[in-house]
Amino acid sequence: MFGGISPIQLVIVLVIVILIFGTKKLRNMGKDIGGAVKGFKDGMKDPDEDQSEKSEEEKQLLQKKEEADADFTDSKQKDKSSGDS
C-alpha cells in the first residue's frame, strides 16, 4: 500500500511516537505546524487585494502617531514657556 509498509506497521510506529513524545507535545507540534502553514498561505496571497485594507489601517495609525507627537510637542513647549517666566 505505502511502498511495502502495511497499515499495522504504521499503527505500531504511531503508538511508539505517542509513547515517546506524549499526546500534549504532539498536539502542540500540530498547532505550531498549522500556524506556520497558515502564515505561509497568508504570505502567498496577492498583495494587491490586501493593500487597500493595510493602507487604510496605516493611515489611521499614522494619524494617531502625528496627533500624539503634536500633543507631546505642545506640552513640552508649554513646560518650557512656564519655566522661563
Side-chain angles (χ1 to χ4, degrees), residues 23 41 52-54 65 80:
T23 56
K41 286 182 179 179
S52 62
E53 292 177 12
K54 287 184 179 178
K65 182 183 179 299
K80 200 179 220 183

Side-chain angles (χ1 to χ4, degrees), residues 8-34:
I8 292 177
Q9 290 172 329
L10 288 175
V11 169
I12 291 171
V13 169
L14 181 62
V15 168
I16 292 171
V17 168
I18 289 174
L19 288 173
I20 291 173
F21 293 108
T23 56
K24 187 174 182 180
K25 184 148 185 146
L26 289 174
R27 189 177 322 122
N28 290 340
M29 286 174 32
K31 285 180 185 178
D32 292 342
I33 291 171

Side-chain angles (χ1 to χ4, degrees), residues 41-42 44-55:
K41 286 182 179 179
D42 289 344
M44 294 299 292
K45 285 184 180 177
D46 188 20
D48 292 337
E49 63 186 46
D50 290 336
Q51 189 66 23
S52 62
E53 292 177 12
K54 287 184 179 178
S55 63

Side-chain angles (χ1 to χ4, degrees), residues 1 3 8 15 27 57 63 73 76:
M1 183 174 171
I8 292 177
V15 168
R27 189 177 322 122
E57 290 176 8
Q63 183 179 8
T73 304
K76 202 171 185 181

